[in-house]
Every structure is written in C-alpha cells, then in structure tokens.
Amino acid sequence: MKTFSYSFLRAVCALVIGLVLVLFPNQAAEYLVITVGVIFLIPSLLSIIGYFAWRGERPVRFPLLGIGSLLFGLWLIAMPGFFADLLTYVLGFILVMGGVQQLASLSSARRWMRVPAGFYVVPVLILLAGLFALFNPLGARSTAFVVIGVSSLVYALSDLVNWFGFSRKRPKEPASPQRLSDGAEVEDAEIVE
C-alpha cells in the first residue's frame, strides 16, 4: 500500500507541476516562488502569534526560527524573479533525481521479470532534460521551464505506467513463521520418507 500511495502522490505532483510549467512557462516560475514564500509565511506567523498568545501561561522560547521564516517568506514574495532563476536549478535537479530513481526502479524490477529496453528510454530522456535545465537555466528560462514541464508530464505518466505494469507482478513477501503460545517459532519442516 505504501508503494501505491508514494508512487501515486509523486505522479500527481509531477503531473500538476508539468501542466503549470507547460501552460504558463513565463509566469509559472514566479508564481511557484511566491507560493513557496506563502508556505514559509503561514507557519512562521502561527509560531509568532502562538508565542504572544501563550506567553503569560507558561514559559515559551522566543520564536527565532519563526522570525527567520517570516523574513525569508517575505523576501521570496518581494523578489520572485531572483528566486525563479534558482528554481530552475532546483527543478532540474529534481528531474535528474527522478530519472535516476526510475532507472533504479527498472533495474530492481529486472530481479523478478524481464524489462524491455524501451522502458529505459523515458527515464534517460528525463535525466537528459534535467541535465539540460541544470546547465542552461538562465539562457532561456521559459524554454527550460517548458522542457522541465514536458519532462514532468512524461515522468508522471511513465511512473504510473511502470507502477501499474510492475507492481502487480512483484513477488509477494514470504510469510513470517507462526508463533506458539509460549513465543517459540514454528517453521515448516521437511518430511523425510
């Protein structure tokens, strides 16, 4: 069940990010940076409000981390263009890691079944797209984001296909030995005739 939830969540996130990057490549970077800034603001504001609300009832440390998160969130919101260029590096790195992860999953699947060579094409393309974004992020940011977006879409779809195709063929875990009432383990015995 954990494999399903993580694979499915990873594919959905990649699908959403890919669609946003392909449909709105120029604005997507700045909106993603602003979204991250808001994500930093919310918990920092809660910690600062919590400090002043609970100060009289019990000793609470000053929310230094909350102040730092608040300032960083405000900086992200105030200067999204600066951080959008850095975001290209981060998304490129994520694509590289996604390609490597898919190659490792395919390699692992080879232990219990034959994996056709065509399945390796998409992870290699995702890996190459991530390397492109890492080594040419500032030259054409919108082009890099379209490449990253298309790669994220392909990654999401191939991850779903791989999950549906390989998870059903994965061998079941061996059953654990049965336990007796006194805690001793019972193992299958070999019958000698």
Side-chain angles (χ1 to χ4, degrees):
M1 184 66 180
K2 287 183 179 180
T3 305
F4 169 75
S5 62
Y6 291 135
S7 294
F8 185 73
L9 181 64
R10 189 172 53 232
V12 167
C13 288
L15 189 66
V16 170
I17 289 172
L19 283 173
V20 169
L21 290 175
V22 168
L23 296 176
F24 312 105
N26 293 326
Q27 298 87 7
E30 293 184 7
Y31 287 131
L32 283 173
V33 170
I34 291 171
T35 303
V36 171
V38 170
I39 290 171
F40 270 93
L41 281 180
I42 292 171
S44 66
L45 287 175
L46 291 176
S47 70
I48 293 168
I49 291 169
Y51 171 74
F52 288 112
W54 295 99
R55 189 171 174 210
E57 295 182 18
R58 61 185 168 134
V60 179
R61 290 186 186 173
F62 184 74
L64 190 58
L65 187 60
I67 298 292
S69 294
L70 176 74
L71 294 174
F72 185 64
L74 289 173
W75 189 20
L76 287 170
I77 292 170
M79 298 178 61
F82 171 74
F83 289 102
D85 293 334
L86 296 176
L87 185 63
T88 309
Y89 286 111
V90 172
L91 290 176
F93 179 73
I94 290 171
L95 281 177
V96 167
M97 295 307 295
V100 168
Q101 182 271 331
Q102 281 191 342
L103 288 172
S105 294
L106 290 173
S107 176
S108 176
R110 288 179 55 194
R111 293 182 190 147
W112 66 82
M113 67 175 290
R114 183 182 168 279
V115 178
F119 279 90
Y120 289 94
V121 172
V122 171
V124 168
L125 290 176
I126 291 170
L127 181 66
L128 291 174
L131 291 173
F132 168 77
L134 284 175
F135 291 115
N136 188 21
L138 304 177
R141 186 168 78 189
S142 63
T143 303
F145 275 111
V146 169
V147 168
I148 292 170
V150 169
S151 300
S152 294
L153 290 172
V154 170
Y155 171 77
L157 296 175
S158 68
D159 208 24
L160 286 173
V161 167
N162 288 344
W163 183 81
F164 284 122
F166 295 130
S167 66
R168 286 182 269 145
K169 295 182 181 181
R170 179 179 225 152
K172 303 292 182 217
E173 297 294 325
S176 61
Q178 297 176 348
R179 295 196 178 268
L180 297 174
S181 60
D182 64 353
E185 292 184 356
V186 176
E187 295 183 16
D188 293 334
E190 193 175 301
I191 299 176
V192 179
E193 294 184 23

